[in-house]
Amino acid sequence: MDSDHYYYLGIDVGTGSARAVIINSLGTICGLATNDIQLWNPHANYYEQSSEDIWSSVCLAVKAAMTQSGLKPANIKGVGFDGTCSLVVLDRSGKPISIDPESSDGENHRNIILWADHRAGEQTDKINATRHEVLKYVGGKVSVEMDLPKILWIKENLQERWNKVGYFFDLPDFLTYRATGNASRSVCSLACKCGYVPPDTSISPQKGWHDDLFQAIGLSEFISENYSRMSTSQIFSAGQKVAGLSHQAANELGLLEDTPVSSGLIDAYAGIVGTLAAKIPGDYGNMLMEQRLAVIAGTSSCHILMTNRSLFVDGVWGPYKDALLRNHWLNEGGQSATGKLIDWIIDTHPFSIHAKKLANKKGISIYNLLNEHINTLQKQQKLQFSSVLTKDLHVYPDFHGNRSPLSDPTLCGAIVGLTLDVSLDALAVLYYSTLQSIGYGTRHIIEAMNDSGHNIKCLYMSGGLCKNELFVKTMADATKCLVVLPKYVEASVVIGAAICGASASGAMPMGEDKNITLWDFMEKMNEAGQIVTPTEISNEIEYNERKYLVYLNMWKDQINYRRIIEGKTDS
């Protein structure tokens, strides 16, 4: 342990695991551990988790990271949490209430509706049918992935349990509640997922909730209860101290009571904190904050831009005021299935089992096996660039609906150009075409944002998919943007949570200014790693333009097919 450093703990709860990281005041990792969490999928589009299981996994991960670091509890000066934007349901005493319709009395452990759960489609349509002005702050429509439709679904389908609900938490806010006993909320979760518009915006001069929206959608009790189930008496921005660790949580985590805890962040926003302030060397060093799009690529992908002005983009969430930095605005696009889509494409291919056995034999991942085979095919066919391998095979990637910029959860995926070939060659090309389609989906989001007044030129990428070099290069080529990766590619999200813990603590080594902002902490602790430039080969640039045009036409064709089936067109 270096006496010149303070140490901070970050905890990230993703879709499949809880992670804990310990960093020092320069952002260097001193300990990192992961523990799996449970996921139930009882029906199509139903995804459920347990807050008790998640907290247990968090505690195991924290203890393992502490052991790895060799630090003592007193060395940890601040704690930060992030998590998926999933809905946690508790009773008035803070105990779980099941959201699984088939659970029996007393079976309350499955009390989380995961972000990817699409059960609340009808409720989503009902909310959007109001055309309330609040909706313009979520791109014109709420998403089925947000909390508000899920809350309405519980009222309309689980009435007996609805009457017992004391708290609706977005998962990051549940984590700070469980850690401190303080039922405060974050601007991040409320503004991004719950229909809250922070004061001092054009439609919220005095308060963030709009009673007429809740009256219109059938949640009038929220008004009479003064939104107590959302527990909004205290609302914090990122990096602000919520409270100290409670006695119980400190014992469970193996830390000291009263250790400062930061306001929680949705995981994608923690990815911003862990990446966006990294300085780029050379000619790109003057890239402005508003030209940097954070892309957090994992099971799904989020595309978040932070600026000092509010711009509305159809099909893109936001602008969200104060969700990260005070007096700054965020726009958020996203793709509902990216890493999950890639795995699905591989897992469902006839050659999948053989490919995985071959990868295991070589001691490499299935992704590296496919990447190597793509290089082999390029050499065998004497191609100028590998991307042309997909010229006869095209993928449209919305297998779990479109989050942005079309905001249509009913859209489906498509593959054009399939043959009876079930070889490794066929799997590799299909996999490659899928990577390209994800890149073109990101380009579609960027174009929508730039058409509305933004000026995106650079992608600050993080998340598990960034371990895949071909994926990163494909993203650069498909979007025509520079890509900046963080020093710790896989850990940038959980590092973002730790940086928030540092900000909440206000603790820095002697001689530092103790009144610095969250952005100052970000600049001090962010470090750029690899920088990837888009292709400069004119033929490859032109090829990507043609592939992108195919991507757009596949979307339009799907809409036209629906119209034909519905009898709404003659052609």
Side-chain angles (χ1 to χ4, degrees), residues 21-99:
V21 72
I22 297 164
I23 62 173
N24 65 19
S25 50
L26 295 178
T28 303
I29 291 179
C30 306
L32 177 65
T34 301
N35 203 69
D36 290 342
I37 57 179
Q38 289 184 280
L39 173 66
W40 291 269
N41 179 208
H43 302 287
N45 292 323
Y46 278 55
Y47 295 94
E48 303 169 356
Q49 291 182 320
S50 161
S51 62
E52 293 181 336
D53 171 68
I54 285 174
W55 185 253
S56 176
S57 293
V58 164
C59 294
L60 290 172
V62 169
K63 290 175 180 176
M66 286 293 291
T67 298
Q68 188 182 125
S69 71
L71 297 169
K72 297 179 180 179
N75 297 130
I76 304 301
K77 301 301 181 182
V79 180
F81 289 93
D82 76 78
T84 63
C85 48
S86 302
L87 181 69
V88 184
V89 185
L90 305 178
D91 66 17
R92 294 174 182 84
S93 62
K95 302 294 185 182
I97 295 179
S98 174
I99 46 73

Side-chain angles (χ1 to χ4, degrees), residues 84-130:
T84 63
C85 48
S86 302
L87 181 69
V88 184
V89 185
L90 305 178
D91 66 17
R92 294 174 182 84
S93 62
K95 302 294 185 182
I97 295 179
S98 174
I99 46 73
D100 178 44
E102 297 177 358
S103 64
S104 59
D105 291 342
E107 292 183 337
N108 284 311
H109 59 288
R110 285 153 66 172
N111 67 318
I112 298 178
I113 303 180
L114 190 71
W115 63 269
D117 188 292
H118 281 197
R119 73 182 69 183
E122 292 183 8
Q123 290 73 25
T124 302
D125 292 341
K126 181 177 181 179
I127 295 169
N128 288 330
T130 66

Side-chain angles (χ1 to χ4, degrees), residues 375-385 388-389:
N375 289 334
T376 299
L377 290 174
Q378 180 186 359
K379 292 175 183 177
Q380 287 176 348
Q381 299 180 30
K382 299 180 180 178
L383 302 173
Q384 183 184 14
F385 46 88
V388 76
L389 287 166

